[in-house]
Amino acid sequence: MVGHPDEPKMYREFAPWFHLLTSPEDYAFEADLYSRLLTESAEIPVRTVLELGSGGGNNASHMKRQFQLTLTELSDDMLKLSRSINPECEHIQGDMRGLRLGRQFDGVFVHDAVSYMTTEDDLRETIVTAWDHCKPGAAAVFAPDEITESFREKTGHGGHDGADRYLRYLEWTWDPDPGDTTYITDYAYLLRDENGDVRAEHDRHICGLFSRVTWLNLLEETGFRAQLRQGVEGETALDIFVGVKPL
């Protein structure tokens, strides 16, 4: 699926710009929260952690100080970007729905890449992948961008300056059909290169939207002891789902 036409452009042709859209430095608070959830929820000491959908390695750039990380990602372009800031971490290309490494870890972490699971079957397969890679007593932490109960249409903006290129963006999150399990985030990028030339690009991200009950039921069906944990990022409340594999 690498390079599939439905894959957002940010993970293909605009991957070299990714850290100007979302900077690793911006992830320190979140990474600390997820690290604490992994260690506090697990019933075993947590040293080795598998991340499914590690993207450009932003969380890993902080979490690697505490854990031995194995980073997996579908997009080869994003893996290359992550390797550039996390060269000491193991990187493996693979789809979180079907990845099987033949080994288990003290913890499994799935950040907002899980938001690209748009059906219950996709989500179930991802949870099973996490289960198969958890040691008994390990915790799996899932952090979707949105859940049904708290979803609201919204807009946002931001961007960063690099050494020789610059990015600004506007994002618009909306749901064209509240009766299905997807929503849309449209991005408008303004990309300025080293010559001062600016171009505008549109990028559509289609994401999954599931209720708390769906999340908790799928975790329990897989065998996890499921927990709903909540955190705060700025003014945004975060719903985080934790599954603990029984000893």
Side-chain angles (χ1 to χ4, degrees):
M1 291 180 63
V2 177
H4 190 280
D6 292 333
E7 187 180 30
K9 296 177 185 177
M10 181 49 67
Y11 307 135
R12 297 183 284 123
E13 60 195 275
F14 299 140
W17 296 81
F18 181 79
H19 286 153
L20 300 184
L21 176 78
T22 175
S23 170
E25 289 74 18
D26 295 340
Y27 281 68
F29 174 83
E30 275 192 272
D32 179 67
L33 171 62
Y34 303 133
S35 296
R36 284 190 287 108
L37 286 174
L38 281 166
T39 55
E40 292 172 2
S41 303
E43 298 177 346
I44 58 175
V46 180
R47 174 56 184 159
T48 61
V49 173
L50 171 68
E51 184 175 358
L52 302 175
S54 53
N58 288 356
N59 278 300
S61 69
H62 303 280
M63 296 172 75
K64 66 186 179 183
R65 299 167 192 166
Q66 184 172 353
F67 306 122
Q68 178 183 324
L69 297 177
T70 296
L71 308 179
T72 67
E73 165 62 39
L74 181 59
S75 166
D76 184 58
D77 292 312
M78 296 302 283
L79 280 174
K80 291 176 182 175
L81 190 64
S82 179
R83 288 188 186 102
S84 72
I85 63 170
N86 301 306
E88 65 272 60
C89 296
E90 179 183 19
H91 288 77
I92 300 172
Q93 188 173 19
D95 188 324
M96 67 175 69
R97 290 166 292 189
L99 180 76
R100 294 297 182 273
L101 299 180
R103 49 194 162 112
Q104 295 182 323
F105 299 80
D106 303 326
V108 174
F109 173 53
V110 196
H111 191 222
D112 50 9
V114 77
S115 299
Y116 293 104
M117 303 298 103
T118 57
T119 68
E120 282 194 29
D121 285 342
D122 287 337
L123 187 56
R124 181 182 292 106
E125 289 173 3
T126 298
I127 291 171
V128 171
T129 297
W131 169 270
D132 284 349
H133 290 90
C134 277
K135 294 178 182 177
V141 172
F142 301 84
D145 277 337
E146 302 284 351
I147 62 166
T148 304
E149 289 86 346
S150 59
F151 181 86
R152 299 290 185 275
E153 183 172 316
K154 60 187 176 183
T155 58
H157 61 88
H160 295 273
D161 295 342
D164 59 358
R165 65 173 85 189
Y166 314 85
L167 181 148
R168 297 294 182 270
Y169 70 87
L170 172 69
E171 63 177 325
W172 180 11
T173 297
W174 58 290
D175 188 354
D177 182 0
D180 67 10
T181 60
T182 64
Y183 68 95
I184 290 171
T185 298
D186 283 308
Y187 284 89
Y189 307 131
L190 286 177
L191 309 174
R192 191 175 88 202
D193 65 21
E194 65 275 13
N195 299 315
D197 296 324
V198 178
R199 73 183 193 273
E201 298 283 353
H202 169 242
D203 194 12
R204 171 160 288 186
H205 297 236
I206 300 174
C207 300
L209 189 63
F210 304 97
S211 69
R212 293 186 181 107
V213 169
T214 296
W215 267 100
L216 294 171
N217 284 345
L218 289 175
L219 286 164
E220 293 281 357
E221 288 171 12
T222 304
F224 285 114
R225 292 199 304 271
Q227 308 169 17
L228 171 62
R229 305 289 293 271
Q230 293 181 310
V232 177
E233 180 190 6
E235 300 179 356
T236 303
L238 303 173
D239 283 271
I240 305 163
F241 298 91
V242 178
V244 180
K245 188 171 186 175
L247 284 167

